[in-house]
Amino acid sequence: MNMENRFRLQVSLVILLLLGLLAWFAAAFGLDYRFALEKLPLLLGLQLNPEGLLQGVPLTVLLCLVSTLLALVIGLASALGRLSRNPLLYGLATFYNSFFKGTPLLVQILLIYLGLPQLGIVPDAIPAGITALTLCYGAYLSEVLRAAILSIPRGQWEAGKALGMSSRAILRFVVLPQAMRVAVPPAFSLFISMLKDSSLVSVMGLWEIMFLSQSYGRSSYRYMEMLLSAALIYWLLSVVLEVFQHRLETRMAASSRS
Amino acid sequence: MNKQGLINTAAALLPLLLAVPAHAGTTLDRVSNSGELRGVLLESYPPFSFLNSKNQLEGFDVDVVKAVAKKLNVKLKLDTPSWEVIAAGKWGKRWDICICSMTPTREAAQVLDFPVIYYKSPAVLVVNASDKHTSSIKTLDGKKIGVQQGASYERYLQKTLKIEAPGAIQPSFPFSKVNIATYDNEEIIFQDLALGTGKRLDALVSNLNTANERIARGGKFRVAATLYAEPNWVAVDKGDAQWQARVKQVVTELKQDGTLAAISRKWIGSDITQ
């Protein structure tokens, strides 16, 4: 057995032991897990809610997927604004960043959902939720991207200039590809965090995972059972993201060696 | 048009531009034009409104709002925003009615209108079943009492509760000062009280029907005392007198023809709508 395989085996043993401890702790609650199992299809969103809207896992995944993609665009724009010497762009990006990082997401959701109707625009809950998640996580992401861009040595820019490349071309073909590698781990931590923060959209009456588990838990008086099921679902979803992150890192490492 | 004329015209138009708040009849028009009544409800307040095992909303409040929609001869659409969102008012054309066990406190009456009462339910003091002695809130001075944040029970414990309804009997406060523990959700309050008297809580304040529902399901609690009669009213967004009158008329008819009494007997076991 080589060193690498031995290490992997030992890691698996440690993780199995920890999982066992967690299962023991969960069992110590003395909960009725058959009940949670019955409600699982509803949390998984295998059917629509009575108003014909998505519910459970598909709703959470939809909200997070769209918000993540939009946050990448806004985050990159804001990061470039913060690195720009144009006073308007810098001012806009700095203000946006400070406001959406510095105020609670719940307040942002309510500002969009309850505030806009006072101006005559009445957004539905799903677009309002996506807007709030995008703006909030775009601000965090912009800091991650800005730090990643700044981590690329000045020499790279100077080398690009010496080759006669424009600033835009250097950014696009030299700096950003390297910066992305640096940004992947913290960016994925943000995506996982967004996955769980998305439960705040339930204040607008969206039946996402936490909303359903709390509602079923309260109305059937099996609160912990339902919360633990929700926790397990979130964890599995975030493991999917972790696997994706790992693959992306491996691919980027391989392409940078070649 | 001369300059003076322009200013006069502008002055005449200004009030029209500023008159944004709901005009009388807008909600009524919306409901009759769209053929749809949009109600708000809580999703986890058994037996009044909750998600059942078939993923449908049901309960006392749900049946009442269904009966109202039927009487108005329109379709019903139900939304479940959080209590804070409902109670903030300024619904911005989103919703038409809230039959969701709301008490017209002074604060609520500032942001919502309350056209008609539909049931009364006593607010009660609940203790752990092992506490055989407590029979009044008088003896709980300095003790820790759990209550849901934003509920009228919280204002009762702060001794600031005032019910803004015609003919309402105002509660009395026969205690000097209790230690109020506010919770985000009622489930956790009951769980903390279930740990035993004095562990985290000495008592809690809730509604007789929700407390009885829990005791019936094997909760180790005891209703120690009735605190005050809590009237629950239908709530609508501020400023539409015609809609209020229509809602009042419909609910009164439902009371008279026995629909409300039947719904009450189905969910509560007795008639709390009189």
Side-chain angles (χ1 to χ4, degrees):
Chain A
M1 190 185 283
N2 66 24
M3 287 289 279
E4 183 57 26
N5 282 343
R6 195 187 155 94
F7 175 73
R8 284 194 179 173
L9 185 72
Q10 285 166 336
V11 169
S12 305
L13 281 175
V14 171
I15 289 178
L16 270 179
L17 185 69
L18 290 173
L19 273 177
L21 274 175
L22 194 62
W24 171 78
F25 178 59
F29 269 102
L31 302 173
D32 180 3
Y33 289 103
R34 268 171 316 175
F35 176 83
L37 214 57
E38 271 170 38
K39 287 284 184 290
L40 203 57
L42 295 169
L43 288 190
L44 292 177
L46 301 181
Q47 65 183 87
L48 298 176
N49 85 358
E51 301 293 341
L53 290 170
L54 282 182
Q55 71 170 32
V57 173
L59 177 63
T60 297
V61 169
L62 172 80
L63 286 170
C64 291
L65 206 62
V66 176
S67 305
T68 300
L69 294 175
L70 294 176
L72 276 170
V73 176
I74 288 203
L76 184 60
S78 160
L80 294 178
R82 295 265 289 151
L83 293 167
S84 152
R85 293 302 300 157
N86 178 319
L88 178 67
L89 293 181
Y90 181 83
L92 263 175
T94 305
F95 182 83
Y96 157 71
N97 209 284
S98 172
F99 182 81
F100 283 96
K101 252 175 23 196
T103 56
L105 177 57
L106 179 64
V107 178
Q108 294 165 14
I109 290 173
L110 291 178
L111 276 179
I112 291 165
Y113 189 64
L114 296 180
L116 288 183
Q118 313 313 320
L119 306 178
I121 311 158
V122 185
D124 275 342
I126 291 182
I130 287 175
T131 309
L133 285 172
T134 298
L135 289 173
C136 183
Y137 277 88
Y140 286 116
L141 203 57
S142 95
E143 287 296 89
V144 166
L145 294 174
R146 189 173 70 96
I149 291 171
L150 286 176
S151 77
I152 307 304
R154 290 296 308 170
Q156 301 270 339
W157 290 87
E158 284 153 14
K161 284 206 184 99
L163 288 171
M165 292 171 83
S166 68
S167 292
R168 186 180 292 242
I170 299 171
L171 183 72
R172 164 82 181 77
F173 297 108
V174 179
V175 174
L176 277 185
Q178 299 180 77
M180 285 309 150
R181 261 183 69 204
V182 181
V184 163
F188 269 84
S189 297
L190 283 182
F191 299 153
I192 290 174
S193 168
M194 181 205 278
L195 187 68
K196 288 166 294 169
D197 273 357
S198 71
S199 70
L200 286 173
V201 302
S202 65
V203 295
M204 300 180 291
L206 287 179
W207 294 18
E208 46 71 53
I209 300 171
M210 272 307 273
F211 175 94
L212 287 174
S213 61
Q214 296 215 32
S215 306
Y216 290 132
R218 286 179 200 169
S219 58
S220 58
Y221 305 88
R222 299 231 178 265
Y223 198 55
M224 278 314 289
E225 282 89 337
M226 293 314 296
L227 286 193
L228 286 173
S229 321
L232 198 62
I233 292 175
Y234 279 113
W235 196 5
L236 288 175
L237 287 174
S238 71
V239 165
V240 171
L241 277 172
E242 281 167 28
V243 168
F244 191 66
Q245 171 190 350
H246 182 71
R247 292 211 171 156
L248 205 61
E249 279 180 29
T250 321
R251 251 181 72 181
M252 285 179 151
S255 70
S256 79
R257 273 200 302 273
S258 63
Chain B
M1 195 186 284
N2 64 25
K3 204 175 171 189
Q4 190 58 48
L6 200 70
I7 292 170
N8 285 342
T9 317
L13 285 176
L14 201 60
L16 292 180
L17 293 174
L18 293 177
V20 186
H23 299 287
T26 45
T27 310
L28 182 59
D29 287 348
R30 194 171 60 234
V31 172
S32 38
N33 290 342
S34 66
E36 191 174 72
L37 179 72
R38 289 172 304 173
V40 278
L41 276 177
L42 298 175
E43 77 292 345
S44 48
Y45 191 55
F48 293 95
S49 56
F50 56 97
L51 263 182
N52 70 10
S53 57
K54 295 191 188 73
N55 200 39
Q56 301 285 327
L57 288 163
E58 67 171 10
F60 178 90
D61 285 349
V62 182
D63 280 355
V64 173
V65 75
K66 276 181 183 165
V68 168
K70 202 175 160 201
K71 203 82 168 175
L72 288 166
N73 204 16
V74 291
K75 276 190 308 198
L76 178 66
K77 190 175 176 298
L78 290 176
D79 249 347
T80 52
S82 73
W83 182 253
E84 292 77 12
V85 168
I86 299 173
K90 300 197 174 188
W91 292 344
K93 300 173 195 164
R94 263 195 195 105
W95 306 301
D96 309 312
I97 198 163
C98 160
I99 299 185
C100 52
S101 303
M102 202 182 277
T103 304
T105 57
R106 186 171 33 202
E107 294 77 6
Q110 282 164 5
V111 291
L112 295 168
D113 283 331
F114 293 91
V116 62
I117 183 171
Y118 72 108
Y119 78 89
K120 268 184 270 188
S121 171
V124 291
L125 186 71
V126 180
V127 294
N128 189 291
S130 66
D131 173 355
K132 307 273 186 234
H133 308 293
T134 306
S135 63
S136 160
I137 196 167
K138 278 178 202 162
T139 57
L140 292 181
D141 266 332
K143 299 280 189 188
K144 203 164 174 187
I145 303 185
V147 73
Q148 182 161 11
Q149 186 185 22
S152 55
Y153 314 129
E154 185 189 4
R155 298 230 159 76
Y156 174 80
L157 291 179
Q158 293 163 341
K159 301 172 51 162
T160 58
L161 178 66
K162 184 166 187 303
I163 296 168
E164 291 278 308
I169 302 159
Q170 297 304 329
S172 59
F173 309 101
F175 54 93
S176 59
K177 194 175 189 320
V178 293
N179 192 348
I180 306 169
T182 49
Y183 286 71
D184 184 40
N185 97 48
E186 202 170 55
E187 179 65 35
I188 313 280
I189 315 180
F190 276 96
Q191 291 207 2
D192 275 359
L193 186 61
L195 294 175
T197 306
K199 293 270 189 218
R200 282 185 183 148
L201 290 176
D202 296 292
L204 64 83
V205 176
S206 183
N207 154 312
L208 177 63
N209 299 299
T210 47
N212 276 342
E213 179 89 359
R214 263 172 212 278
I215 292 167
R217 286 184 180 244
K220 301 272 182 289
F221 307 106
R222 181 173 67 84
V223 175
T226 300
L227 298 172
Y228 59 96
E230 188 188 44
N232 289 270
W233 287 58
V234 177
V236 297
D237 208 353
K238 263 239 168 302
D240 185 340
Q242 280 171 279
W243 176 235
Q244 283 195 63
R246 186 81 181 100
V247 168
K248 186 173 180 180
Q249 180 198 353
V250 166
V251 173
T252 310
E253 280 171 28
L254 290 173
K255 237 178 241 177
Q256 282 161 357
D257 68 16
T259 311
L260 287 193
I263 293 171
S264 177
R265 272 192 289 274
K266 173 178 166 196
W267 291 106
I268 315 293
S270 62
D271 185 6
I272 56 172
T273 66
Q274 289 311 304

